[in-house]
């Protein structure tokens, strides 16, 4: 009987170790895939940025047909400046609305709970 228990224990240990090796191999494979995916996303970001630069150059070229090149570049630059300012002001407003970075409702709720517990303890 003790030999059966010992053998079952040994088999269970081997089974757990085998499962751990399998899990380790699986996670290693998934890690490689995540790394490749992250690299591809990064590359897509760089190419997308280059595409936007080409789009800006195209806009300048289109405007340069009826206008001098310097005027076309100035118009596109001003437009990009306005977009930048609007985005910056909007971002500043969002950050201001998020300040202070404390969970105010939760703090008030905890204070109310503590007050309730103190009140109950005094009775």
């Amino acid at each position: 009987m003790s030999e059966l228990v010992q053998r079952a224990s040994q088999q269970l240990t081997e089974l757990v170790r085998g499962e751990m090796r399998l899990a380790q191999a699986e996670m290693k494979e998934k890690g490689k895939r995540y790394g490749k995916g992250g690299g591809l996303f990064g590359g897509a970001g760089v190419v997308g940025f280059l595409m936007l630069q080409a789009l800006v150059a195209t806009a300048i070229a289109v405007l340069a047909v009826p206008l001098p090149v310097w005027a076309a570049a100035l118009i596109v630059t001003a437009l990009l400046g306005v977009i930048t300012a609007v985005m910056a002001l909007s971002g500043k407003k969002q950050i201001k609305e998020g300040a202070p970075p404390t969970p105010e409702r939760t703090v008030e709720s905890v204070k109310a709970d503590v007050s309730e517990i103190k009140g109950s303890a005094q009775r």
Side-chain angles (χ1 to χ4, degrees):
M1 183 69 161
S2 69
E3 186 178 322
L4 288 175
V5 170
Q6 184 180 9
R7 200 172 343 156
S9 175
Q10 184 180 10
Q11 288 175 349
L12 182 62
T13 302
E14 289 174 10
L15 178 65
V16 169
R17 285 183 181 157
E19 291 293 338
M20 292 299 289
R21 283 191 297 272
L22 178 63
Q24 185 180 17
E26 185 178 354
M27 292 306 292
K28 188 176 181 180
E29 180 64 29
K30 286 187 179 207
K32 286 180 183 178
R33 290 188 184 274
Y34 277 120
K36 287 179 185 177
L40 288 171
F41 271 123
V46 169
V47 172
F49 181 69
L50 293 173
M51 180 197 68
L52 288 175
Q53 289 179 332
L55 181 64
V56 168
T58 302
I60 292 170
V62 166
L63 288 174
V65 172
L67 301 171
V69 174
W70 67 267
L74 184 63
I75 290 170
V76 171
T77 301
L79 180 64
L80 290 173
V82 169
I83 292 170
T84 301
V86 168
M87 290 176 73
L89 291 174
S90 180
K92 182 180 177 183
K93 180 182 174 189
Q94 290 295 318
I95 289 173
K96 196 175 202 178
E97 289 176 2
T102 57
E104 294 170 343
R105 289 183 292 192
T106 303
V107 169
E108 292 301 320
S109 176
V110 169
K111 285 180 182 178
D113 291 344
V114 168
S115 177
E116 181 67 30
I117 290 170
K118 283 182 180 180
S120 296
Q122 291 176 355
R123 290 184 207 163

